[in-house]
Amino acid sequence: QKEVEQDPGPLSVPEGAIVSLNCTYSNSAFQYFMWYRQYSRKGPELLMYTYSSGNKEDGRFTAQVDKSSKYISLFIRDSQPSDSATYLCAMSANQGGKLIFGQGTELSVKP
Amino acid sequence: SAVISQKPSRDICQRGTSLTIQCQVDSQVTMMFWYRQQPGQSLTLIATANQGSEATYESGFVIDKFPISRPNLTFSTLTVSNMSPEDSSIYLCSVEFGGPSYNEQFFGPGTRLTVL
């Protein structure tokens, strides 16, 4: 069993839709939860990070962590074609160092 | 934040040869990381490279296959040795910067390697 599971998609939605991306994990030691966005032929860029359980909002993006269920989510409101990218969840047990990534979900937002 | 460049951006290599990938950062950093991103797979950490010490390799990765150099605080190289088609992948370096509550990792653009 992989430490982090993420549905690879692809996921295609119309512009303006609400997108929900999810990851599950098995290691209860994970404390830091990140979402990275990766455009084609580019390196991943950090979108949001959350420490422990709870919600975090940044503009159209909301990250949720439920440690009791070992489940994290990223919601994108009013999705735009520019949001088309691969979204990767990542986790770590410590403040820095090794990150464990999910497989990545490929998102396409159609105009 | 950091600006990270990698060379080459892509390469096509023959089986049995070796390729050295360079990673250059515009700031001095203590920790640099090398990841592999195989098609349809998650990013997997190969090793952590700290300046002035031997790289620390993750399970499944060995120094003979992926030797790493870290000569100073802004530069590192990863060599993929004795390549086989299974080494075809994207190789990314990343660096870590300390924030007020979290150390963020910034990634380079990656090196796309195809082994024939």
Side-chain angles (χ1 to χ4, degrees):
Chain A
Q1 181 189 6
K2 294 181 180 178
E3 278 192 286
V4 180
E5 298 275 2
Q6 184 178 5
D7 187 339
L11 182 62
S12 182
V13 301
E15 183 175 355
I18 296 175
V19 177
S20 173
L21 305 168
N22 311 293
C23 289
T24 59
Y25 63 95
S26 58
N27 189 344
S28 58
F30 289 146
Q31 297 265 43
Y32 297 86
F33 304 91
M34 283 70 70
W35 287 96
Y36 281 81
R37 178 174 61 194
Q38 186 175 22
Y39 290 113
S40 180
R41 302 188 184 280
K42 302 287 186 182
E45 57 178 341
L46 183 66
L47 200 55
M48 297 185 73
Y49 95 90
T50 308
Y51 172 70
S52 193
S53 285
N55 295 355
K56 189 172 187 178
E57 187 173 322
D58 184 1
R60 296 184 294 110
F61 299 88
T62 300
Q64 290 185 350
V65 175
D66 182 349
K67 289 190 69 180
S68 62
S69 301
K70 296 189 177 65
Y71 187 88
I72 71 170
S73 301
L74 177 70
F75 297 95
I76 307 174
R77 293 185 299 279
D78 187 25
S79 57
Q80 303 295 308
S82 59
D83 295 328
S84 298
T86 296
Y87 290 80
L88 305 113
C89 63
M91 308 177 189
S92 68
N94 304 306
Q95 191 181 20
K98 181 178 181 178
L99 297 179
I100 307 297
F101 281 87
Q103 192 173 351
T105 299
E106 183 181 350
L107 172 67
S108 177
V109 181
K110 304 295 186 183
Chain B
S1 64
V3 176
I4 306 168
S5 59
Q6 287 185 232
K7 289 182 181 180
S9 59
R10 57 171 53 220
D11 207 340
I12 301 173
C13 301
Q14 296 297 318
R15 180 196 301 260
T17 62
S18 298
L19 176 72
T20 294
I21 302 167
Q22 299 179 6
C23 179
Q24 180 76 51
V25 190
D26 68 343
S27 306
Q28 293 186 337
V29 293
T30 301
M31 298 184 75
M32 295 182 76
F33 306 88
W34 285 98
Y35 287 84
R36 182 172 72 182
Q37 188 175 28
Q38 294 181 304
Q41 303 294 319
S42 57
L43 272 81
T44 302
L45 182 64
I46 297 171
T48 302
N50 291 336
Q51 195 269 336
S53 63
E54 294 289 324
T56 302
Y57 289 82
E58 296 297 312
S59 176
F61 298 97
V62 295
I63 188 171
D64 289 345
K65 176 67 175 177
F66 298 100
I68 289 171
S69 78
R70 183 78 202 275
N72 57 53
L73 291 173
T74 63
F75 186 79
S76 178
T77 67
L78 170 77
T79 299
V80 186
S81 304
N82 188 25
M83 288 183 287
S84 66
E86 292 71 37
D87 294 320
S88 297
S89 184
I90 300 172
Y91 292 86
L92 301 111
C93 67
S94 75
V95 301
E96 186 175 273
F97 278 102
S101 56
Y102 173 69
N103 294 344
E104 181 176 346
Q105 283 193 27
F106 296 87
F107 285 83
T111 295
R112 188 176 297 266
L113 171 63
T114 301
V115 183
L116 303 177

